[in-house]
């Protein structure tokens, strides 16, 4: 399935952004930077094709230029281009590419990602810090640009921008993403809900429907995944209001953000990511029940319609299409990992058969409408997300799942002297299914700080006279005692340096004193 679509794009559409499968040609959609190739790059490695990954990475470095007079979606460019390049950069070693010294903290694909992200920064130069929706890659934000943007367009940057900041050492990206998130959070209603579209200058809510679907979805996704990746509990503050006001019988409806009254009893296909996200928080029972609701819709139509009326049990007029979206397959992958229930494999089989039967053409795969009419467009997310999640659903020992046993080469070294352990598991997928390795963020960020602290300690201990001083006693103020034995009632204080649990660092011993992860 992947190669039919991918080869069709290369043969008929490259260097345009996307393939038009019915007319067997290409078109620029979200910019003009061979978007499908960037979006599909890490999928090549997921499927094990290292040689094509290397070839395409080289082509992109030679041909893609972001210094162009094009109006681009800030949101889409971030999740597809910045996310795709960051993921490819972090997978470069596994793909057998030649690496710069100090990888993953430097590299050509990282510089491309940074270049693309810098083109988006002018959008964040607003009184509130919330970004405009569109930016011209050459000229910045147009004076006539609308200040109204969707919630997801404000709150879907923390994964890519924090990764960029931690890898490059430039805090600018993470700072603007956090500022936008905080500004958005301040505009919530008295009952804790955010709406759908906001004026980023006045902070007035233009569309006041609260829910988990289109226009909002990835905002919630990035709060959860950002909290996991950055170990930042501050981001996990939204869930109670969503559960209290929008959840009914394990469906999630749209409600008025100030009153909590139902405004649209509709299920949107974009909401199908929610059970997978809930599984990351451990809310498995609820996730399983919601997934079953969504799967029942899939079985009714052989795909998820864009809009489905819950009371009527049928599609909403003019919103019947299934554009090969990945969200239900994504949730199936997470829930199969969490439960081992083969129901989720069955959804994968259903999805494969539906797409092959309904959406396949001689030149790729196309969006499907209710009466199975075909639309002349293959979005890049079909290769980036839909096929990737399907493949990972059926490959439980894949390295992205942390598959393999210790010592079989499932992890790799990184950093200036190979002192970082990378790729050992715990990958976080951005909303375009581009996997990011939290260990790399630690390697390039916190690792340097830890190393400096260690050097400072060693210098202090090696200075003349440091041995001759009497060992300090444990005082009431809690200062460090050199004695291993503790008196009754005495508490052990943390050492000057404590190391995180494996796989990030080995245990240390300094002058005979051992620092472990539990001291």
């Amino acid at each position: 399935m992947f190669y039919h679509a991918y080869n069709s794009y290369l043969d008929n559409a490259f260097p345009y952004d996307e393939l038009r499968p019915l007319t067997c040609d290409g078109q620029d959609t979200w910019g003009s930077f061979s978007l499908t190739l960037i979006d599909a790059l890490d999928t090549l490695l997921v499927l094990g094709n290292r040689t094509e990954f290397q070839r395409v990475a080289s082509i992109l470095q030679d041909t893609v230029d972001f210094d162009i007079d094009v109006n681009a979606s800030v949101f889409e460019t971030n999740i597809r281009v910045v996310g795709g390049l960051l993921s490819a950069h972090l997978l470069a070693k596994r793909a057998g590419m030649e690496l710069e010294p100090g990888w993953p903290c430097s590299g050509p694909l990282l510089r491309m990602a940074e270049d693309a992200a810098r083109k988006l920064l002018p959008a964040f130069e607003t009184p509130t810090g919330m970004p405009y929706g569109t930016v011209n890659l050459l000229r910045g934000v147009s004076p006539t640009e609308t200040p109204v943007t969707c919630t997801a367009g404000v709150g879907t940057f923390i994964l890519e921008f924090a990764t960029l900041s931690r890898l490059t050492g430039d805090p600018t990206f993470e700072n603007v993403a956090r500022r936008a998130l905080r500004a958005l959070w301040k505009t919530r209603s008295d009952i804790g809900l955010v709406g759908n579209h906001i004026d980023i200058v006045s902070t007035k809510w233009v569309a006041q429907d609260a829910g988990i679907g289109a226009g909002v979805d990835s905002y919630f996704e990035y709060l959860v995944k950002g909290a996991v990746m950055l170990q930042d509990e501050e981001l996990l503050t939204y869930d109670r209001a969503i559960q209290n006001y929008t959840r009914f019988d394990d469906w999630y409806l749209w409600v008025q953000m100030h009153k909590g009254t139902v405004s649209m009893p509709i299920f949107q296909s974009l909401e199908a990511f929610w059970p997978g996200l809930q599984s990351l928080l451990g809310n498995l029972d609820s996730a399983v029940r919601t997934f079953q609701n969504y799967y029942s819709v899939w079985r009714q139509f052989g795909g998820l319609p864009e809009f489905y009326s819950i009371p009527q049990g049928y599609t909403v007029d003019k919103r019947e299409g299934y554009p090969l979206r990945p969200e239900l397959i994504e949730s199936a992958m997470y829930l199969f990992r969490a439960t081992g229930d083969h129901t989720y494999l069955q959804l994968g089989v259903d999805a494969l058969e539906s797409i092959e039967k309904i959406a396949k053409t001689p030149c790729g795969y196309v969006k499907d409408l209710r009466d199975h009419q075909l639309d002349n467009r293959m979005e890049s997310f079909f290769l980036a997300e839909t096929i990737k999640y399907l493949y990972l659903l059926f490959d439980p020992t894949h390295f992205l799942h942390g598959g393999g046993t210790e010592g079989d080469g499932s992890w790799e070294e990184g950093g200036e002297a190979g002192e970082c352990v990378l790729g050992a598991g715990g990958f976080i997928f951005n909303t375009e299914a581009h996997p990011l390795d939290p260990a790399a963020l630690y390697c390039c960020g916190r690792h340097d700080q830890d190393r400096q602290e260690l050097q400072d300690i060693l210098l202090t201990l090696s200075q003349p006279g440091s041995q001759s001083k009497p060992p300090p006693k444990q005082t009431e103020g809690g200062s460090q005692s050199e004695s291993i034995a503790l008196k009754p009632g005495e508490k052990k204080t943390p050492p000057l340096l404590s190391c995180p649990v494996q796989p990030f660092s080995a245990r240390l011993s300094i002058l005979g004193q051992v620092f472990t992860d539990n001291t």
Side-chain angles (χ1 to χ4, degrees):
M1 181 183 279
F2 174 83
Y3 286 112
H4 176 63
Y6 177 75
N7 290 333
S8 294
Y9 168 78
L10 286 183
D11 294 342
N12 300 290
F14 178 76
Y16 291 103
D17 278 344
E18 290 178 351
L19 169 70
R20 297 203 301 171
L22 297 182
T23 48
C24 296
D25 56 11
Q27 63 180 347
D28 281 336
T29 49
W30 296 111
S32 183
F33 20 66
S34 307
L35 180 64
T36 295
L37 212 51
I38 294 175
D39 231 359
L41 181 53
D42 58 13
T43 308
L44 286 165
L45 188 69
V46 169
L47 303 181
N49 193 336
R50 296 168 63 176
T51 52
E52 182 65 2
F53 181 100
Q54 292 172 20
R55 188 184 79 86
V56 170
S58 179
I59 287 173
L60 292 175
Q61 290 170 49
D62 293 339
T63 60
V64 173
D65 179 13
F66 299 114
D67 207 21
I68 49 175
D69 188 3
V70 164
N71 293 325
S73 161
V74 180
F75 169 85
E76 298 289 354
T77 305
N78 176 55
I79 66 169
R80 302 192 196 209
V81 178
V82 179
L85 291 169
L86 283 173
S87 173
H89 163 71
L90 292 172
L91 295 172
K93 182 166 187 174
R94 198 175 288 272
M97 290 188 68
E98 207 172 303
L99 302 174
E100 292 182 2
W103 175 91
C105 314
S106 67
L109 294 172
L110 177 60
R111 285 190 289 276
M112 285 181 71
E114 183 180 5
D115 186 23
R118 282 204 190 281
K119 294 292 185 180
L120 306 181
L121 289 179
F124 290 83
E125 294 169 6
T126 63
T128 60
M130 293 189 281
Y132 285 99
T134 305
V135 68
N136 184 285
L137 299 183
L138 198 61
R139 300 190 174 90
V141 178
S142 163
T144 59
E145 177 63 26
T146 175
V148 176
T149 191
C150 67
T151 302
V154 173
T156 309
F157 295 93
I158 191 67
L159 290 184
E160 297 84 2
F161 277 30
T163 299
L164 256 181
S165 283
R166 307 282 175 105
L167 295 184
T168 63
D170 181 349
T172 305
F173 302 103
E174 184 171 348
N175 288 346
V176 299
R178 284 186 181 275
R179 185 181 175 219
L181 276 177
R182 289 193 185 108
L184 185 60
W185 181 240
K186 284 179 186 169
T187 64
R188 68 193 184 281
S189 69
D190 291 340
I191 58 175
L193 294 172
V194 294
N196 200 289
H197 278 72
I198 190 171
D199 185 313
I200 58 154
V201 176
S202 70
T203 71
K204 293 280 188 294
W205 285 100
V206 177
Q208 299 188 358
D209 298 299
I212 60 169
V216 186
D217 48 3
S218 53
Y219 164 60
F220 292 128
E221 180 185 356
Y222 273 43
L223 290 177
V224 173
K225 291 179 175 178
V228 174
M229 187 170 85
L230 304 173
Q231 295 293 289
D232 184 351
E233 289 184 29
E234 180 197 353
L235 297 173
L236 281 181
T237 49
Y238 69 92
D239 195 52
R240 191 177 292 115
I242 287 291
Q243 299 295 345
N244 286 349
Y245 291 101
T246 73
R247 179 178 162 195
F248 296 86
D249 290 335
D250 299 301
W251 293 97
Y252 289 83
L253 312 183
W254 291 89
V255 302
Q256 211 283 338
M257 67 178 285
H258 295 289
K259 301 172 188 171
T261 51
V262 175
S263 57
M264 288 190 297
I266 285 186
F267 159 63
Q268 301 177 345
S269 61
L270 282 168
E271 297 171 18
F273 79 100
W274 190 257
L277 191 71
Q278 290 296 294
S279 78
L280 291 181
L281 291 169
N283 301 334
L284 262 185
D285 291 345
S286 166
V288 166
R289 290 193 300 271
T290 300
F291 182 91
Q292 291 299 342
N293 284 344
Y294 297 171
Y295 190 16
S296 68
V297 177
W298 178 289
R299 287 195 297 262
Q300 186 178 346
F301 296 100
L304 281 189
E306 290 281 72
F307 282 39
Y308 175 85
S309 169
I310 295 165
Q312 293 175 347
Y314 207 68
T315 57
V316 175
D317 192 39
K318 296 191 173 65
R319 302 308 295 265
E320 304 96 339
Y322 170 57
L324 308 175
R325 288 203 186 280
E327 284 77 14
L328 193 65
I329 300 163
E330 172 187 357
S331 281
M333 182 198 79
Y334 281 113
L335 289 171
F336 181 59
R337 297 284 303 155
T339 67
D341 185 335
H342 283 223
T343 302
Y344 305 108
L345 295 180
Q346 187 58 52
L347 176 274
V349 173
D350 291 351
L352 274 168
E353 291 176 347
S354 290
I355 293 168
E356 282 290 299
K357 180 179 174 185
I358 295 165
K360 189 173 186 178
T361 72
C363 273
Y365 293 85
V366 291
K367 297 163 79 169
D368 163 49
L369 307 178
R370 181 183 58 178
D371 53 4
H372 300 323
Q373 295 176 350
L374 300 178
D375 185 28
N376 192 19
R377 182 179 183 189
M378 186 179 81
E379 291 233 34
S380 68
F381 63 67
F382 179 62
L383 294 175
E385 298 186 78
T386 309
I387 290 178
K388 186 184 289 147
Y389 283 133
L390 267 175
Y391 188 85
L392 291 171
L393 170 63
F394 291 115
D395 188 0
T397 61
H398 198 278
F399 76 85
L400 284 176
H401 295 315
T405 54
E406 190 176 341
D408 70 354
S410 60
W411 57 274
E412 55 201 13
E413 295 177 355
E416 284 184 22
E419 69 275 31
C420 298
V421 176
L422 304 173
F427 286 90
I428 304 288
F429 291 92
N430 88 335
T431 196
E432 191 76 3
H434 295 305
L436 303 170
D437 185 359
L441 279 64
Y442 172 83
C443 179
C444 302
R446 175 71 199 169
H447 185 275
D448 286 344
Q449 194 178 330
D450 280 356
R451 188 164 55 180
Q452 187 59 50
E453 286 177 13
L454 177 57
Q455 285 176 347
D456 292 345
I457 291 168
L458 290 171
L459 280 171
T460 304
L461 293 172
S462 63
Q463 282 169 357
S466 63
Q467 295 289 326
S468 59
K469 293 177 185 174
K473 303 291 184 194
Q474 183 81 19
T475 65
E476 288 181 13
S479 63
Q480 176 100 3
S481 170
E482 294 283 326
S483 170
I484 297 172
L486 296 178
K487 297 186 179 77
E490 202 173 39
K491 288 186 179 176
K492 197 164 190 179
T493 56
L496 289 168
L497 177 79
S498 58
C499 296
V501 182
Q502 295 279 16
F504 295 126
S505 294
R507 298 182 175 193
L508 301 174
S509 173
I510 303 172
L511 294 182
Q513 186 169 359
V514 178
F515 300 87
T516 64
D517 51 271
N518 59 357
T519 49

